[in-house]
Structures are given as structure tokens and as C-alpha cells.
């Protein structure tokens, strides 16, 4: 019996969107002054909930009332190779698209760096960016807002999801969310990365629709009435901000967890053993430590981040 999670929704046929301002990138101009707003999907080829949303908005012919809208399917080739019998493999082809953004001034030697070079000018145009992702494991939705206060402010303006994660970026390479002006404290440009839930849960599509509708309305490029009425979901009673302080990586891929952990679980006591890596205990560094997107419940490769640790702000 397969241990892969079930696929609970139909994947869209995206070939009709190949021809745009660049392959699988579409720009909609209002002709009126306003922000340039980008919604990106398929940054990883098996994270499909965002592609459902972008496909639906393109099919509906959504146009901005002011400013410019940009819609993209990023790692389209990985998506087109999706195999339901081996669904995690199509995350990428040569390398992680979302770790290439710190070296786009170098020769492009992989499919992902070549594709990032195509996507790059559209990202540079955007004043606001929403990058739609999902997660390997079942976890509550998370808004990864970056290290800057303006990211937190925009996440709070959207009002959902409940958990806003403030993080410095990824040690393995710069993400699109942090590229250029988005990571510059002197700029007003703002990017958010939403993790909608487990990749193929129907609930992840519902989260992606809700967050995208709120994002487009909050940036002022469309009115809420321009979007499907059933996309918006009830907002959580309150949001909380978690500041990531540590990223724990396994040295050789043989991290052994002390027990099964849940995403966003709060560990009450400092010094609690989370597991062992190379025989050495990995412990929580402070009381009320939040486990952000733990990967410790499954086999890992050497150097992979096991879990991020965060403080409640």
C-alpha cells in the first residue's frame, strides 16, 4: 500500500497558459496608475494548490482596476512531470527553484536557474508579491513574512492565517520572496510566502483561494467583488507572530526524533529533548519554543533542516 498522502482535488491543465508575456507568465494592465502585484505559483512543481488559484483567475479573465497584475507558473516543467505514484519527486528537476535567487548573476546551468532568469524581470517589476506554496507534511497554514516589519504588517492586514512566521530566509540559498528590493529595509516593496497546508489536501486549495483574494483586495489592484464570493473564508479570531531564532539541520541525515511532533507545537520547557543527531541531543533553547514546519517525522538527507525553532512575539 502506498504511503503517499491522498490527492483530494483535480490538477489543472495549464498548457492553455503557455503563451503570455513569457512562457506561463501573464501580465494584465489596467492603464491606470497603481501598484504592480504578482501572484506566483508552482515555485515547486508538486505544490499545486496555488496553480489551481492562478488557473482559475486567468480563466475568469480577472483584470486589475488599477495598476498591473502578474500571474506566473514558475517551475512548470517539474509540474508537467508530476507522477501520482511518486508525487514528491516533482518538487524540482535539477535543483530547488527557490534557492537560486542569490546567484542569478552567474551563468544558468540548471533548468531552475534558467527558468528563474525568465521569471526574474517580472519579480523585479512587482511592488507586492504573493508566493503560493504548500507543505510536505500536514500542518496548519503558515504565512512566512520575512525578517522585515512591513512583511508582518501586510500579513496582519490580510488577517489570515493564524500563524505569521518571521524568518531571516533560508541558509541553503535565497528565496524569491527575499530577492532584490523585497529584502531591502529601505524599500517599500513587500513579499509574502504562504504555506497553505499539505500539498494535496483540498483544504490547501481553500486556503490558497482565501489568502489570494485577501491579498489582491488588500493591495488595491482589484475590488473584493471582482473575486469569487466563496473564496473568502472566516478569519481566525486572532493571529500570532513567531520569530524564528534557530534552524536545526541534520549533519548526515540520521536525526532520530524523541517522538512525533506537530507543526506549530509549543514546547513548554527549555532543554526539552527533540531528538538526537549523530548521537548528540537536540534540545529547545528556551521556554515556550514553537516548532516551525518540523521535518523530523520522516527520513532526511544530510544537511536538510530538521525543524525551525521560534519565539512567540
Amino acid at each position: 500500500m502506498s504511503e503517499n498522502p491522498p490527492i483530494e482535488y483535480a490538477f489543472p491543465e495549464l498548457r492553455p497558459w503557455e503563451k503570455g508575456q513569457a512562457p506561463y507568465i501573464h501580465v494584465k494592465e489596467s492603464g491606470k496608475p497603481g501598484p504592480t502585484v504578482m501572484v506566483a505559483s508552482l515555485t515547486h512543481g508538486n505544490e499545486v494548490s496555488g496553480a489551481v488559484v492562478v488557473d482559475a483567475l486567468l480563466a475568469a479573465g480577472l483584470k486589475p482596476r488599477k495598476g498591473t497584475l502578474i500571474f506566473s507558473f514558475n517551475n512548470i516543467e517539474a509540474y508537467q512531470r508530476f507522477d501520482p505514484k511518486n508525487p514528491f519527486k516533482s518538487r524540482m528537476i535539477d535543483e530547488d527553484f527557490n534557492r537560486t535567487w542569490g546567484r542569478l548573476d552567474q551563468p544558468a546551468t540548471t533548468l531552475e536557474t534558467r527558468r528563474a532568469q525568465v521569471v526574474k524581470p517580472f519579480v523585479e517589476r512587482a511592488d507586492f508579491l504573493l508566493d503560493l506554496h504548500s507543505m510536505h507534511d500536514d500542518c496548519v497554514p503558515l504565512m512566512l513574512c520575512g525578517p522585515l516589519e512591513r512583511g508582518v504588517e501586510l500579513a496582519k492586514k490580510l488577517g489570515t492565517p493564524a500563524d505569521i512566521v518571521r524568518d531571516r530566509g533560508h541558509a541553503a540559498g535565497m528565496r524569491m520572496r527575499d530577492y532584490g528590493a523585497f529584502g531591502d529595509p529601505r524599500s517599500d516593496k513587500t513579499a509574502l510566502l504562504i504555506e497553505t497546508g499539505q500539498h494535496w489536501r483540498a483544504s490547501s486549495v481553500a486556503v490558497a483561494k482565501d489568502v489570494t483574494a485577501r491579498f489582491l483586495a488588500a493591495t488595491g489592484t482589484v475590488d473584493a467583488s471582482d473575486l469569487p464570493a466563496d473564496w473568502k473564508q472566516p478569519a481566525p479570531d486572532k493571529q500570532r507572530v513567531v520569530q524564528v531564532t534557530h534552524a536545526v539541520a541534520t549533519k548526515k541525515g540520521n536525526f532520530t526524533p524523541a517522538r512525533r511532533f506537530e507543526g506549530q507545537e509549543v514546547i513548554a520547557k527549555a532543554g526539552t529533548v527533540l531528538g538526537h543527531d549523530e548521537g548528540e541531543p537536540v534540545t529547545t533553547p528556551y521556554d515556550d519554543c514553537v516548532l516551525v514546519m518540523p521535518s523530523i517525522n520522516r527520513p532526511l538527507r544530510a544537511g536538510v533542516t530538521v525543524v525551525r525553532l521560534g519565539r512567540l512575539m
Side-chain angles (χ1 to χ4, degrees):
M1 182 178 293
S2 172
E3 295 182 0
N4 294 323
I7 298 174
E8 297 179 347
Y9 58 87
F11 286 14
E13 172 53 67
L14 300 181
R15 283 184 171 81
W17 309 122
E18 180 176 5
K19 293 182 178 180
Q21 278 66 26
Y24 294 98
I25 301 174
H26 292 261
V27 180
K28 308 290 184 181
E29 304 276 4
S30 70
K32 298 179 181 179
T36 297
V37 177
M38 183 171 182
V39 178
S41 66
L42 293 181
T43 292
H44 298 122
N46 62 355
E47 300 185 8
V48 185
S49 61
V52 173
V53 169
V54 173
D55 172 66
L57 294 176
L58 288 171
L62 181 70
K63 296 180 180 179
R65 291 180 178 252
K66 61 180 181 179
T68 301
L69 278 176
I70 302 174
F71 297 111
S72 71
F73 302 99
N74 285 346
N75 200 339
I76 186 69
E77 292 200 38
Y79 174 71
Q80 289 170 342
R81 298 186 193 188
F82 185 87
D83 179 0
K85 295 180 181 178
N86 194 2
F88 293 107
K89 189 175 181 179
S90 64
R91 174 180 173 85
M92 57 193 182
I93 294 179
D94 296 324
E95 64 170 320
D96 192 324
F97 178 93
N98 215 27
R99 306 290 183 266
T100 67
W101 290 82
R103 47 189 169 88
L104 295 185
D105 57 344
Q106 302 172 18
T109 59
T110 64
L111 184 145
E112 278 79 13
T113 52
R114 290 192 292 272
R115 179 60 177 167
Q117 293 283 13
V118 174
V119 177
K120 174 184 170 184
F122 299 94
V123 173
E124 291 175 336
R125 284 182 62 183
D127 298 302
F128 297 98
L129 167 68
L130 178 64
D131 191 13
L132 295 162
H133 286 247
S134 54
M135 293 178 269
H136 184 290
D137 300 307
D138 272 316
C139 183
V140 297
L142 305 175
M143 185 68 82
L144 307 187
C145 69
L148 303 174
E149 187 60 33
R150 65 179 185 263
V152 177
E153 291 172 357
L154 180 56
K156 288 181 175 179
K157 186 175 182 180
L158 301 192
T160 196
D163 278 23
I164 301 168
V165 177
R166 186 169 181 167
D167 61 326
R168 299 186 184 92
H170 206 289
M174 182 181 289
R175 290 183 283 204
M176 185 174 67
R177 184 209 66 188
D178 303 310
Y179 175 73
F182 292 124
D184 186 345
R186 300 165 296 181
S187 174
D188 292 327
K189 293 192 173 191
T190 308
L192 297 174
L193 188 162
I194 177 70
E195 299 279 5
T196 60
Q198 203 284 326
H199 296 320
W200 310 302
R201 295 286 189 196
S203 58
S204 292
V205 175
V207 170
K209 289 178 175 179
D210 180 34
V211 169
T212 302
R214 290 171 182 270
F215 172 77
L216 292 175
T219 57
T221 190
V222 302
D223 287 346
S225 60
D226 298 330
L227 300 160
D230 62 349
W231 278 23
K232 196 168 183 180
Q233 303 294 317
D237 292 336
K238 61 181 180 179
Q239 292 176 290
R240 64 179 185 175
V241 179
V242 178
Q243 174 68 61
V244 172
T245 61
H246 297 70
V248 179
T250 177
K251 294 175 183 177
K252 296 184 179 180
N254 58 2
F255 182 91
T256 303
R259 61 173 175 83
R260 184 172 183 85
F261 293 96
E262 302 298 327
Q264 300 308 104
E265 184 175 347
V266 179
I267 306 299
K269 296 297 183 182
T272 299
V273 175
L274 301 176
H276 291 80
D277 195 54
E278 289 296 285
E280 295 294 324
V282 175
T283 62
T284 51
Y286 39 76
D287 290 349
D288 297 325
C289 182
V290 183
L291 306 186
V292 179
M293 294 179 66
S295 302
I296 54 185
N297 302 316
R298 53 186 163 93
L300 298 167
R301 301 184 311 276
V304 169
T305 299
V306 171
V307 65
R308 296 171 184 84
L309 307 178
R311 288 185 185 273
L312 292 167
M313 303 300 289

